[in-house]
Amino acid sequence: MLSPGQARVKRSFDLMLSIMLLPLLLFPFLIIYIVMSILLRRNAWFVQQRIGQNGRRFDLYKLRTLKGEDHPLGLEEASAGALGRRLRKLHLDEWPQLLNILKGEMSFVGPRPDLPGYADVLEGEDRIILAVKPGLAGPASLEFRKEASLLQQQEDPERYYREQIWPQKVQINKNYVKSYRFSVDLKLLFKTFFHVFK
């Protein structure tokens, strides 16, 4: 578990890095936003409720990359055009979450924020995951970085996710929270950057 001192260091790092990155990424993001809005013929700014620290809901910001409204689990890539798939592969659609970090709703590293119906219904010791802020990058998302292609291979992606992937993610995130060290955050950030751009 994070001590008060570790929480302060983590928050200070989040603030400094997000303040440094936002001015650098603002112009390229605006260009991508305009292009995606034109291609999708709708506002590419996307807001979705997710579960945050202590089970509180918050509005997560993303760049819209998918066409239409109905995107069944495991079939999202089929709804994205070539540019949308590229943005998703590079996680550029996640850039707006720097605002969530700046607001204190997220951290650079932590369990990825889930849709309602997952983390918020955890019980017992599993709820330790909710003790920390969700992250832009996380140990479980790094482990399951090929989750989309894995789900595409399943006859029932939703069931496979709930019965196979989700329990493993819970365990990985529990281990992260229980043995938290700031050095692990830095290592996870480096690994995430490496896997995205390799």
Side-chain angles (χ1 to χ4, degrees), residues 151-162:
L151 289 174
Q152 287 176 10
Q153 301 170 23
Q154 311 306 318
E155 291 185 9
D156 189 341
E158 177 70 33
R159 180 177 179 181
Y160 185 84
Y161 181 84
R162 285 189 177 274

Side-chain angles (χ1 to χ4, degrees), residues 2 8 20 23 25 28-29 31-32 41 44 49 54 59 91 102 110 117 120 132 136 140 153 176 185 189 192 194 197:
L2 277 74
R8 285 193 293 271
M20 287 172 55
L25 299 178
F29 172 77
I31 297 299
I32 295 172
R41 298 181 182 179
Q49 278 215 328
N54 300 319
D59 289 333
H91 296 279
L102 196 61
D120 53 329
V132 300
L136 184 63
Q153 301 170 23
Y176 165 79
D185 275 7
L189 273 179
T192 300
F194 173 77
F197 293 101

Side-chain angles (χ1 to χ4, degrees), residues 118-138:
Y118 288 95
D120 53 329
V121 297
L122 289 173
E123 298 179 347
E125 186 187 45
D126 292 344
R127 291 188 67 82
I128 194 174
I129 294 171
L130 297 173
V132 300
K133 294 175 183 177
L136 184 63

Side-chain angles (χ1 to χ4, degrees), residues 25-26 28-40 42-48 50 60-67 71 80 83-88 91-98 100 112:
L25 299 178
L26 182 59
F29 172 77
L30 286 175
I31 297 299
I32 295 172
Y33 165 77
I34 292 170
V35 171
M36 288 306 300
S37 294
I38 292 171
L39 290 177
L40 297 175
R42 62 190 305 188
N43 188 349
W45 183 260
F46 182 63
V47 179
Q48 189 178 54
R50 296 290 179 99
L60 176 134
Y61 307 126
K62 289 190 72 171
L63 182 71
R64 192 186 302 274
T65 56
L66 305 178
K67 303 172 184 176
H71 310 121
L83 178 58
R85 284 192 293 272
R86 185 64 177 169
L87 294 176
R88 291 167 66 85
H91 296 279
L92 300 184
D93 58 322
E94 310 285 355
W95 280 3
Q97 285 159 47
L98 287 174
N100 291 118
R112 282 295 295 161

Side-chain angles (χ1 to χ4, degrees), residues 7-26:
R8 285 193 293 271
V9 170
K10 188 174 175 68
R11 179 58 182 156
S12 297
F13 176 79
D14 288 339
L15 277 173
M16 286 189 295
L17 189 56
S18 57
I19 289 171
M20 287 172 55
L21 289 176
L22 276 169
L24 298 175
L25 299 178
L26 182 59

